[in-house]
Amino acid sequence: MEMEVIEIKTAGVEPDVHELIRRRWSPRAFADRPAAPDVLRRVLAAARWAPSAYNEQPWRFIVARREDPEAFDRLLACLNEGNRRWAQRAPVLMLVLARRTFSHSGAPNPHAWYDTGQAVAYLTLQATALGLYVHQMAGILPDEARRRCAVPEDYDVVIALALGYLGDPAQLPEDLQARERSPRTRRPLTELAFEGRWGTPARFLMQEDGHAS
Ligand SMILES: Cc1cc2nc3c(=O)[nH]c(=O)nc-3n(C[C@H](O)[C@H](O)[C@H](O)COP(=O)(O)O)c2cc1C
């Protein structure tokens, strides 16, 4: 069952993209298997080594494991209802925060969210390398999160994420099962990248027959 889902989700991804990127996707069904402390340390260490403007490292993580029901329920209560439906079975939830200001000057840091997203991307790929999956969620209750988790004033609540091993989609409500099995789609590269100026097709994306690859 697990392999079937992985194959569907990998099928449409270009074979020459790195295996870690091919394997990553955002599941809603998580196995009832905890993430070991060393796994958590390693995914957070990966986030730590992401680049950031002025090396500010504005990202912060509040981690809750299912083994700690008080902390887990607190984080669960920070998700919107739609996400709570499935994220309640993940072994780990994290709240992702970004410091709004530079620590050296106190000036606003306009790159804080950009850098934080990059750190989460690092965390996600490290998790993939360790056989785990991450599902990010913008569907959160930021005010609730700030209050319940004592988030300091100078930090934005950016997203939450669920982390764990792949589970059986049959455990999900029916509407979510279909999404778990649906193929992944992406915009064509020619819509995402131009050459030299906006709108000019990138020649390096054209095949020899003149068609976009
Ligand atoms: C910033 C961000 C916010 C997201 N918010 C949610 C969310 O609230 N609920 C959800 O089920 N998925 C959420 N997702 C997952 C996306 O829907 C998913 O990444 C996208 O459909 C691509 O699918 P894939 O990650 O499996 O390739 C979010 C992803 C990101 C990066």
Side-chain angles (χ1 to χ4, degrees), residues 1 23 29 55 96 105 114 177 212:
M1 181 59 84
R23 281 208 333 247
N55 198 19
V96 181
S105 64
Y114 179 91
Q177 284 187 31

Side-chain angles (χ1 to χ4, degrees), residues 76-94:
L76 204 56
C78 303
L79 309 183
N80 71 16
E81 220 175 294
N83 286 327
R84 231 177 282 160
R85 284 173 77 206
W86 55 267
Q88 60 182 317
R89 300 189 70 148
V92 179
L93 293 176
M94 293 191 197

Side-chain angles (χ1 to χ4, degrees), residues 9 24-28 80 82-83 86 134-140 158-160 179 184-186:
K9 294 295 184 177
R24 186 214 63 81
W25 61 283
S26 304
R28 291 182 176 82
N80 71 16
N83 286 327
W86 55 267
V134 168
H135 196 138
Q136 300 178 50
M137 291 168 269
I140 56 173
V158 180
I159 55 150
R179 289 169 78 172
R184 298 167 68 210
T185 58
R186 287 300 188 266

Side-chain angles (χ1 to χ4, degrees), residues 44-61:
L44 291 166
R48 178 175 175 240
W49 284 101
S52 60
Y54 288 99
N55 198 19
E56 173 60 36
Q57 305 156 62
W59 48 81
R60 300 289 185 275
F61 300 91

Side-chain angles (χ1 to χ4, degrees), residues 184-204:
R184 298 167 68 210
T185 58
R186 287 300 188 266
R187 296 179 195 276
L189 257 188
T190 46
E191 187 182 328
L192 306 180
F194 303 119
E195 191 159 5
R197 67 189 304 171
W198 180 269
T200 303
R203 280 163 296 180
F204 56 85

